[in-house]
Amino acid sequence: MTLVLVVDDVPAMAEQYAYDLKRVGGYETLIAGGGAQALDTLAAESVDCVILDLEMPGVDGFEVLRTMKERGIATPVIVYTGTGNYDRCVQAIKLGAYNFIDKSESMERVVLEVENALEKVRLVSEVEALRRDLGTGSPLIGSSAAMLELRETLTRVAPIPSPVLVVGESGSGKELVARELHHLSGDRAARAFVAINSAALPENLVESELFGHERGAFTGASRTHKGAFEIASGGTLFLDEIAELPTPAQAKLLRVLEEDQVTRLGGERAIKVDARVVAATNRDLEAEVEAGRFRRDLYYRLNVHVLRVPPLRERLSDVPELVDHFLAATCARFGVRSKTLDAAALEALMACEWRQNNVRELRNIIERMIIASERETLTLDQVPAELRGAARSPGSDSTPRTFQELKAEAERRIIIAALERNEWHITNTAKELGLADHASLLKIMRRHSLRRD
Ligand SMILES: Nc1ncnc2c1ncn2[C@@H]1O[C@H](COP(=O)(O)OP(=O)(O)OP(=O)(O)O)[C@@H](O)[C@H]1O
Ligand SMILES: [Mg+2]
């Protein structure tokens, strides 16, 4: 629902305008009788557009525009004037007003201006979203069986407004999955993606960050503050490290999810919100529930749709693609010519378990390797020693490898990818690969020292 605020010191004028805006444009309207009241309303309500009189006693329209700019309030403003003094209107536009109209203008024309202003806001946030996308490149690299399955579930769940729980080890890509859910969520994608990490916030601030507070709600609350739920309304609210949410906040979160409305701290009024909640954790939430640290009812509310991000060791066949991606992205960021990895180095990375930090660890290693060498081709020499230990060392480091070695490596990759596709089911994998029986596959696996977890 679009909410328009009409600001005019002449009550009859404001009321007539509000009435006509509702009738012709179908908008919800609010009225402010002066500049100070307008600023209060802007701080307290989610206003979509303002129609502002310039000539008012006390805080006039110019002052309102100036203060909005100072406070970073980006709501579009259309100024109107009865004096026909267009110099003043131009001055208002310089202060950030979207456009101006004459008070005698037809209401159809006014509604058209409001629609244009709203459209501009939508475009601006869409451009911002696109820019963010460009910055991060194509997200979610990987075409292993596990990744394909994740992507399929993700695409199916994305347009549904119910909460999603993303689980997975540290650095496995949970936040990336949350952002992808946002991008694929249809109309929401053009609205805000707001991330809140309750583990990173002091306990006494969590609730005010999530739900907002009114002026004077607690010591230091000198002005009204919108919470993440309100800011993310129409878009996505990402609740990272949900297991760390303090118990009182858990209770409030549950209520908001059930009622689709928030009440700010110290506030009386319930405000409608429509934020899609994506929660993430690297903990076993069920165990947290059993241990009494996480509310069971909230857990049930969140775990209707669960996306499990597989650890990197369950999708080692993604390593080459991820390596290419991080090489290109990191070299571009450092402004150096793109580098490649030789086969031995890549094989070493594919033999790692990545138990510390999954994809993030791989990304960091690639960055270190790029810094460690001037050369275009990175070799096993640049692979950090602690990782090389984990890998089998295939003879001397950077000498070109024989046909036999290259063939063995290709075989290894084919086997790993097939095993992952079949969830390490030996007979099924052997069948898919057209091998005589499961014993033949086991023999090849032994040759490559491949074992199930
Ligand atoms: N599939 C992927 N494709 C490309 N980059 C990825 C992928 N998965 C993870 N990354 C990158 O790895 C890093 C860690 O990912 P992210 O922050 O999403 O992990 P996380 O699971 O939220 O970690 P934590 O548990 O530490 O919060 C990021 O730089 C992200 O861009
Ligand atoms: Mg994260």
Side-chain angles (χ1 to χ4, degrees):
M1 194 41 124
T2 305
L3 182 60
V4 181
L5 171 66
V6 182
V7 190
D8 200 310
D9 58 311
V10 183
M13 187 70 199
E15 271 152 31
Q16 183 64 48
Y17 242 75
Y19 175 81
D20 287 341
L21 279 167
K22 190 174 247 171
R23 184 176 53 84
V24 179
Y27 306 129
E28 291 279 330
T29 51
L30 289 170
I31 290 174
Q37 198 195 335
L39 288 168
D40 281 350
T41 309
L42 282 169
E45 302 283 344
S46 296
V47 174
D48 297 296
C49 185
V50 183
I51 297 196
L52 178 67
D53 189 13
L54 282 177
E55 293 85 18
M56 292 184 293
V59 179
D60 67 1
F62 294 105
E63 195 59 40
V64 171
L65 285 167
R66 247 177 252 123
T67 311
M68 283 178 70
K69 204 173 203 169
E70 255 167 49
R71 297 189 183 165
I73 303 172
T75 315
V77 179
I78 296 165
V79 295
Y80 69 2
T81 169
T83 61
N85 186 338
Y86 293 114
D87 285 350
R88 288 169 65 79
C89 290
V90 170
Q91 207 182 327
I93 283 177
K94 284 192 183 139
L95 281 171
Y98 170 75
N99 210 347
F100 62 85
I101 45 181
D102 198 279
K103 277 185 187 176
S104 59
E105 209 82 66
S106 77
M107 193 40 68
E108 281 71 18
R109 172 75 210 294
V110 177
V111 167
L112 200 67
E113 281 302 330
V114 172
E115 286 301 315
N116 285 342
L118 296 175
E119 180 63 17
K120 187 189 158 206
V121 171
R122 269 193 291 271
L123 287 175
V124 165
S125 78
E126 236 173 271
V127 167
E128 274 170 11
L130 288 171
R131 279 220 186 96
R132 273 197 304 275
D133 273 5
L134 282 179
T136 53
S138 95
L140 279 190
I141 305 290
S143 39
S144 60
M147 257 343 244
L148 293 182
E149 196 184 315
L150 172 64
R151 214 178 275 124
E152 190 196 305
T153 320
L154 196 155
T155 313
R156 199 153 30 81
V157 166
I160 303 171
S162 19
V164 178
L165 180 63
V166 183
V167 299
E169 288 179 15
S170 166
S172 58
K174 295 184 295 299
E175 176 153 2
L176 215 55
V177 165
R179 289 184 186 276
E180 188 68 354
L181 276 168
H182 177 66
H183 289 317
L184 296 177
S185 65
D187 290 348
R188 283 183 195 282
R191 311 294 287 269
F193 176 93
V194 179
I196 293 280
N197 182 343
S198 39
L201 283 169
E203 199 168 322
N204 58 337
L205 280 187
V206 170
E207 288 188 26
S208 115
E209 282 305 307
L210 279 176
F211 312 118
H213 65 246
E214 296 291 348
R215 181 163 41 195
F218 47 84
T219 335
S222 57
R223 51 191 215 93
T224 312
H225 174 76
K226 277 191 194 177
F229 264 100
E230 279 177 76
I231 298 170
S233 200
T236 304
L237 175 57
F238 176 50
L239 300 177
D240 205 359
E241 317 260 19
I242 189 77
E244 315 304 320
L245 199 65
T247 327
Q250 288 179 25
K252 285 194 182 160
L253 173 59
L254 179 68
R255 264 225 321 279
V256 176
L257 290 177
E258 276 170 350
E259 297 168 0
D260 290 324
Q261 50 187 31
V262 284
T263 309
R264 296 182 189 146
L265 300 189
E268 314 252 286
R269 209 165 33 97
I271 301 165
K272 272 241 149 275
V273 286
D274 163 38
R276 197 289 176 82
V277 170
V278 178
T281 182
N282 53 21
R283 299 224 194 182
D284 180 351
L285 258 197
E286 187 134 22
E288 296 296 304
V289 170
E290 289 307 325
R293 285 188 293 264
F294 200 80
R295 287 182 69 116
R296 184 178 297 275
D297 43 12
L298 179 58
Y299 173 60
Y300 286 144
R301 188 86 205 176
L302 291 175
N303 87 340
V304 183
H305 303 287
V306 181
L307 291 181
R308 181 176 169 273
V309 186
L312 188 51
R313 67 183 163 282
E314 283 180 21
R315 45 180 166 116
L316 289 171
S317 56
D318 285 341
V319 169
E321 251 179 87
L322 283 165
V323 166
D324 282 348
H325 169 69
F326 290 136
L327 279 172
T330 312
C331 289
R333 187 154 54 86
F334 291 174
V336 299
R337 275 258 287 290
S338 198
K339 302 189 181 203
T340 53
L341 227 63
D342 79 355
L346 186 58
E347 195 177 329
L349 296 183
M350 283 183 79
C352 286
E353 297 252 290
W354 306 107
R355 285 203 182 264
Q356 294 299 316
N357 252 306
N358 289 284
V359 184
R360 179 180 298 117
E361 194 184 348
L362 175 61
R363 190 198 65 193
N364 293 347
I365 296 286
I366 295 292
E367 184 165 328
R368 274 166 64 187
M369 290 176 70
I370 291 172
I371 294 169
S373 167
E374 303 268 277
R375 296 225 295 269
E376 298 237 320
T377 307
L378 303 174
T379 64
L380 202 54
D381 287 335
Q382 279 90 46
V383 177
E386 69 267 22
L387 293 183
R388 243 179 298 161
R392 301 160 308 119
S393 66
S396 79
D397 290 349
S398 44
T399 47
R401 302 196 316 149
T402 64
F403 173 62
Q404 288 305 328
E405 282 168 346
L406 291 168
K407 202 174 80 176
E409 187 203 312
E411 181 179 78
R412 185 184 154 81
R413 282 206 214 171
I414 292 167
I415 300 283
I416 292 180
L419 282 164
E420 287 175 353
R421 270 197 303 278
N422 292 282
E423 288 162 353
W424 291 74
H425 190 289
I426 303 297
T427 313
N428 291 354
T429 310
K431 203 180 283 168
E432 183 195 313
L433 291 170
L435 295 170
D437 52 17
H438 77 286
S440 330
L441 176 58
L442 284 174
K443 214 168 91 193
I444 304 175
M445 286 172 64
R446 257 197 306 279
R447 198 160 70 228
H448 291 286
S449 8
L450 290 172
R451 278 172 294 105
R452 236 177 312 188
D453 239 2

